[in-house]
Amino acid sequence: MKPMIDAAKLLAKAPAHKTIFKTYKHCLFSFDNPKIHTGAWPMLKAMGIDEDWKVPLPPYSPDFHRVIEHLHGIAEAAFKRWMYEHPQKHSLQKYKTEFQRIFSECCKPESIAADVRGLPELYKWVAAHKGEWAPRKMR
């Protein structure tokens, strides 16, 4: 958690990118709706990050963060396969090293870029359909 808290503190102090956030003087935070994410706001408030810095999302919004969701799913599945193939107990450092290796092998920049390129179309669709789930091909 500490690296995430440190990153949030840095982001809170960073000016918003002027060409993207024309009406904000600070960065914005975007979390999906599960309680594990929404429950972070008391901690963020204690760090001086106001809840109005949070991007409002529709109730069915995991597809809004599909880049992260896809990366997480791919890396998690690959790491579970590695653990199944190497069932002996390892040091925490070994698990960390293997996960970093697996992540860099299975999460390629090309697939990340493809996910990012499709986000504007996804956001427009969800906005036009008042927050409904996007079609599967867009997730």
Side-chain angles (χ1 to χ4, degrees):
M1 268 313 269
K2 184 176 178 347
M4 291 176 67
I5 292 169
D6 291 345
K9 285 179 182 177
L10 282 174
L11 285 170
K13 293 176 185 174
H17 194 285
K18 289 181 171 112
T19 61
I20 298 171
F21 302 107
K22 295 179 182 5
T23 60
Y24 291 91
K25 294 183 177 151
H26 51 74
C27 71
L28 299 174
F29 292 83
S30 178
F31 291 98
D32 284 350
N33 291 308
K35 286 186 181 181
I36 191 167
H37 297 154
T38 57
W41 281 106
M43 177 184 65
L44 294 171
K45 278 183 118 172
M47 294 173 8
I49 298 170
D50 295 325
E51 197 157 343
D52 66 339
W53 292 21
K54 180 182 172 193
V55 176
L57 295 175
Y60 306 110
S61 62
D63 43 347
F64 269 47
H65 298 113
R66 73 173 180 204
V67 178
I68 294 166
E69 298 293 339
H70 287 172
L71 291 173
H72 179 267
I74 291 166
E76 181 182 28
F79 187 61
K80 283 181 179 178
R81 278 192 302 277
W82 179 85
M83 287 193 308
Y84 181 77
E85 294 165 1
H86 303 86
Q88 65 272 27
K89 188 175 181 179
H90 300 281
S91 70
L92 183 58
Q93 184 58 46
K94 174 69 173 173
Y95 287 119
K96 181 180 176 183
T97 300
E98 285 303 314
F99 183 80
Q100 288 173 332
R101 179 189 62 77
I102 289 165
F103 185 90
S104 65
E105 286 177 6
C106 69
C107 298
K108 299 293 183 192
E110 304 82 44
S111 65
I112 296 168
D115 261 353
V116 170
R117 275 192 305 274
L119 288 175
E121 177 188 15
L122 168 68
Y123 295 165
K124 287 176 188 173
W125 190 98
V126 172
H129 292 87
K130 297 182 170 61
E132 292 295 320
W133 279 102
R136 187 144 186 80
K137 67 180 179 176
M138 297 180 86
R139 289 188 241 149

